[in-house]
Amino acid sequence: MTDTISGLLDETHDPSRTSWVLSANGHCDFPVQNLPLAIFSCARQGPRGGIAIGDAILDLSALAESGLLHSKALVAAQAASDGKLNRFLALGSGPRRALRRAVSELLSNPAHREGVETMLYSQASTTLHLPAKIGDYTDFYVGIHHASNVGKLFRPDNPLLPNYKHIPIGYHGRASSIAPSDRPVRRPLGQMISPGDTAPTFGPSRRVDFELELGVWIGNGNQLGEPISIGAARHSVAGISLLNDWSARDIQAWEYQPLGPFLSKNFHTTVSPWIVTQEALEPFRTGQLARDLADPRPLPYLWDDEDQATGALAATLEVHILSRLMREQGIAPFRLSKTSTANMYWTMAQLVAHHTVGGCNLNSGDLLGTGTISASERGGFGSLLEISSGGQAPIELTTGERRTFLEDGDEILLSGRLEAPGFVSIGFGECRGIVTGARSMSGLFPPSLVMAGE
Amino acid sequence: MTDTISGLLDETHDPSRTSWVLSANGHCDFPVQNLPLAIFSCARQGPRGGIAIGDAILDLSALAESGLLHSKALVAAQAASDGKLNRFLALGSGPRRALRRAVSELLSNPAHREGVETMLYSQASTTLHLPAKIGDYTDFYVGIHHASNVGKLFRPDNPLLPNYKHIPIGYHGRASSIAPSDRPVRRPLGQMISPGDTAPTFGPSRRVDFELELGVWIGNGNQLGEPISIGAARHSVAGISLLNDWSARDIQAWEYQPLGPFLSKNFHTTVSPWIVTQEALEPFRTGQLARDLADPRPLPYLWDDEDQATGALAATLEVHILSRLMREQGIAPFRLSKTSTANMYWTMAQLVAHHTVGGCNLNSGDLLGTGTISASERGGFGSLLEISSGGQAPIELTTGERRTFLEDGDEILLSGRLEAPGFVSIGFGECRGIVTGARSMSGLFPPSLVMAGE
């Protein structure tokens, strides 16, 4: 096994390493080469940090007290022992890497089995929570095919705006309504306007959509007024998750001018609860592929040769839908999309450098969404808005059901795999959510007004 | 003294009530009828809650331990004793009102002077902090003349977009970069594009601006998926402050399509540190004035007769500038603007009802900005973008200096007064910030790229 140019591969990436936790060996999201972190709780224990191994979770609070860890690894496990990972994330890469190396050894060397086994929980017996208190959430727009596809719906001749290839377009999102995987997603009420009408109506959104994204967790942040340089930016990223930026397209179309999306995006965002760390990502780094040679070179604060050579990721992402009918009939989920992170026009480091260049401060536990990562072809589109051509072309599911947008009872499942020749591939775990019926409108206004309004 | 229709006036609003803290009597922001809350610290004490009275601060932590408070008032003071007011804000109006009544009695009845005086600090000896941990920050756009003025710069014939009078336009802002009054505001670096150019340049913004707004603090919030009705929405507002939404117009113009303002707004936001509570606002409630009879009636979830009758505020707001030259020559600040909250097209209750109608959850300590509150005439415009007609018409200051946008060393001071016949008027305290020079670009990229980039 040889070092890559990043020089950050070590024994934890060794493809021959296996675990005495047998479910971690063979094809799974959480082999011993992954070791992502989450916050979990169970009947016996309150929320605390844990590391995934196969179908189990290693309790970091118990590990911190076990005497099996020392120095930096111990500091990291202690910081991950309470109900949020923010303190752990703030430690940066040194302690994070030390913990990874120690845990990799403990979970792979059978000599430790007896001492460590008592600190394992079955994932099936636990509840997963948000891994951190998210101070601020920002959503970007790095999927160049998504930007083109959506732009085409509005501007067929000029889909990409002039700023797209110069600036990582982003906007602030809502942190409070981000939830971990497997929480129901209530269809939002809101204002929308029908074509040709001059006044809006109010009711449940009829165009609820998913968006396939990565979530990027901030480790060390920066002080207000002190930008993070492109060269240092990678070190501010602690790890990544899958992210579903649920969207209500009819609400969005009516509200978004002139200040951008608001209620159409803030009713719910689902993030997969496991943080796949920077260290686990090392084997899957690749060069930036989405940029054409003819494209303008970004301004210097966004440009770093090493980032261009190794700052992108080799990940395959998929979206499946499981309708109520499929669930009832025991039919497998239907794949709506398969795409690759090679379609990201900007790297994670470029997002961090841009976000902070004006002085804005990022804090540990902040979350950045990449924006929808569509491929160039319909089979890889990352939203129903694109798949159905703005609602014009329904897609037919295995059951014969057709969808333009999501119906109540539809479950959306995001999944992803990181793969590279000579390495054990890893995954993200689950990112799923079922759309449930809208809340009743009763109680929102005096009964006498209900009919006048609709 | 008689009750108003809101029925919420009590002895704390009695105009004949004075304080034994003599600086609170006569014209000042903090008479005994105001009693706003902030977080303060001083050489001897860490951050804790306090109530302003004249030029002093009453220490709520000491008061909670004094034995002078009971039941709900004691619960409120205890919740305000630590370094953030979030727990206090979450209590809602009952305990807040009880504390107000108790403190009003303690500070006005000379019999309590001996017991309470030891809990007072001179404001001059203290540092004021953010009053709460702001989970999420949302900025609205309720100033109809501001929306028209800005719209005119881009669309002379059609300044207001079709949605403006149906929907309280808002977008998510950045919580992490909100700072209390009197912290320096560093001029941001960023991308901008010159007219006629096809590629952007990078450097310090040349169009740094202020925006005159109110900040609205959330008391009780709501659960994800459970909207707050328009009838209940007023009770979710704990109080208000002044807010300066610093903006970089050149960065904004280049970045804001299609997802809205981002780095142009998130480099710094200044909020006045005193929360003027809902209870203090009671005498200054008025009917909604900015809406024309010919305007469309909003959808029922935004409409409440009592809110239309009493949900607006009678406040006068001013903006002054103090240039470096003025400071050096001892010249008084120059007034750039004088306007009124009557120019708000939507009430605070309408903002809360709209924000939550799709299910988005508000939390205690969240902050809503109203958006810039311009009057219809130039003397009442709430930003330099409007005052200078987009940079075309400089304004001349007392010193003969001219300004289109802000220069390094310029200080912006927001102030406001709430006034109503038969009541003692109250103010907000200071909301000020000096623009300082941009950070050096060195260190942001490899030296070899500096010249290539500029």
Side-chain angles (χ1 to χ4, degrees), chain B residues 30 35-42 45-52 57-61 76-89 121-123 125-134 179-181 183 217 241 271-276 365:
Chain B
F30 305 133
L35 304 179
L37 286 92
I39 294 292
F40 76 100
S41 64
C42 58
Q45 303 282 6
R48 72 240 340 260
I51 285 182
I57 300 179
L58 173 62
D59 180 344
L60 288 172
S61 171
Q78 287 169 335
S81 291
D82 59 21
K84 296 288 172 194
L85 290 176
N86 297 68
R87 281 200 300 134
F88 168 82
L89 294 170
Y121 291 84
S122 157
Q123 283 180 33
S125 70
T126 62
T127 301
L128 297 174
H129 306 271
L130 281 182
K133 170 70 182 166
I134 302 169
S181 179
R183 305 293 192 274
W217 297 97
S241 296
V271 67
S272 61
W274 293 104
I275 299 180
V276 177

Side-chain angles (χ1 to χ4, degrees), chain A residues 213-278:
Chain A
E213 308 194 7
L214 290 183
V216 179
W217 297 96
I218 299 300
N220 329 66
N222 61 307
Q223 293 297 310
L224 186 64
E226 292 297 336
I228 299 172
S229 73
I230 180 70
R234 182 189 294 183
H235 306 295
S236 289
V237 173
I240 62 176
S241 296
L242 296 170
L243 188 132
N244 186 342
D245 178 25
W246 303 93
S247 301
R249 302 301 181 188
D250 37 12
I251 296 172
Q252 186 175 355
W254 172 236
E255 74 172 3
Y256 92 106
Q257 291 284 15
L259 298 178
F262 182 42
L263 301 192
S264 54
K265 299 277 195 172
N266 72 10
F267 59 96
H268 202 112
T269 302
T270 301
V271 67
S272 61
W274 293 104
I275 300 180
V276 177
T277 65
Q278 275 281 22

Side-chain angles (χ1 to χ4, degrees), chain B residues 18-25 30-32 53-57 106-108 113 116-117 120:
Chain B
T18 57
S19 175
W20 47 260
V21 179
L22 299 182
S23 61
N25 305 324
F30 305 133
V32 72
I53 180 73
D55 58 12
I57 300 179
L106 291 171
L107 291 173
S108 57
R113 177 169 183 164
V116 174
E117 207 165 33
L120 292 181

Side-chain angles (χ1 to χ4, degrees), chain B residues 203-218:
Chain B
S205 167
R206 290 186 287 262
R207 295 189 151 213
V208 172
D209 199 355
F210 66 88
E211 287 194 341
L212 169 63
E213 307 194 9
L214 290 184
V216 179
W217 297 97
I218 299 300

Side-chain angles (χ1 to χ4, degrees), chain A residues 60-72:
Chain A
L60 288 172
S61 172
L63 184 61
E65 293 168 8
S66 68
L68 291 168
L69 298 180
H70 305 284
S71 64
K72 280 188 186 175

Side-chain angles (χ1 to χ4, degrees), chain A residues 95-360:
Chain A
R96 201 170 63 223
R97 177 178 297 275
L99 180 63
R100 173 182 170 84
R101 296 178 78 155
V103 168
S104 176
E105 166 67 16
L106 290 171
L107 291 172
S108 57
N109 186 337
H112 295 294
R113 176 170 184 163
E114 194 179 352
V116 173
E117 208 165 30
T118 57
M119 295 180 255
L120 291 180
Y121 291 83
S122 157
Q123 283 180 34
S125 70
T126 64
T127 301
L128 297 173
H129 306 271
L130 281 182
K133 169 72 183 164
I134 302 168
D136 276 291
Y137 164 54
T138 301
D139 200 22
F140 283 93
Y141 200 53
V142 308
I144 187 164
H145 301 301
H146 173 72
S148 294
N149 292 337
V150 174
K152 263 177 214 156
L153 294 175
F154 298 100
R155 300 173 302 275
D157 298 331
N158 183 27
L160 276 188
L161 290 170
N163 55 12
Y164 189 84
K165 291 184 174 179
H166 295 280
I167 196 165
I169 294 291
Y171 67 108
H172 299 115
R174 181 80 192 176
S176 70
S177 52
I178 301 173
S181 179
D182 216 13
R183 305 295 192 271
V185 179
R186 181 171 267 186
R187 180 181 299 274
L189 300 171
Q191 289 194 28
M192 53 208 85
I193 196 163
S194 300
D197 280 3
T198 56
T201 57
F202 179 76
S205 168
R206 288 186 287 261
R207 295 189 150 214
V208 171
D209 199 355
F210 67 86
E211 287 195 340
L212 169 63
E213 308 194 7
L214 290 183
V216 179
W217 297 96
I218 299 300
N220 329 66
N222 61 307
Q223 293 297 310
L224 186 64
E226 292 297 336
I228 299 172
S229 73
I230 180 70
R234 182 189 294 183
H235 306 295
S236 289
V237 173
I240 62 176
S241 296
L242 296 170
L243 188 132
N244 186 342
D245 178 25
W246 303 93
S247 301
R249 302 301 181 188
D250 37 12
I251 296 172
Q252 186 175 355
W254 172 236
E255 74 172 3
Y256 92 106
Q257 291 284 15
L259 298 178
F262 182 42
L263 301 192
S264 54
K265 299 277 195 172
N266 72 10
F267 59 96
H268 202 112
T269 302
T270 301
V271 67
S272 61
W274 293 104
I275 300 180
V276 177
T277 65
Q278 275 281 22
E279 292 68 43
L281 298 176
E282 282 301 331
F284 313 106
R285 300 199 165 283
T286 70
Q288 227 273 30
L289 296 174
R291 189 178 296 280
D292 279 347
L293 281 176
D295 283 351
R297 180 162 164 139
L299 286 158
Y301 80 93
L302 291 171
W303 191 265
D304 178 77
D305 287 336
E306 188 188 337
D307 182 53
Q308 286 300 304
T310 67
L313 289 175
T316 304
L317 307 176
E318 296 189 38
V319 184
H320 288 79
I321 186 171
L322 187 68
S323 70
R324 184 178 287 153
L325 188 62
M326 291 171 172
R327 239 183 342 268
E328 289 168 359
Q329 300 190 347
I331 296 172
F334 176 82
R335 189 170 77 195
L336 289 170
S337 183
K338 180 176 183 177
T339 178
S340 157
T341 49
N343 296 301
M344 292 171 60
Y345 194 78
W346 302 97
T347 66
M348 294 186 284
Q350 286 174 319
L351 302 187
V352 168
H354 182 65
H355 203 318
T356 61
V357 77
C360 181

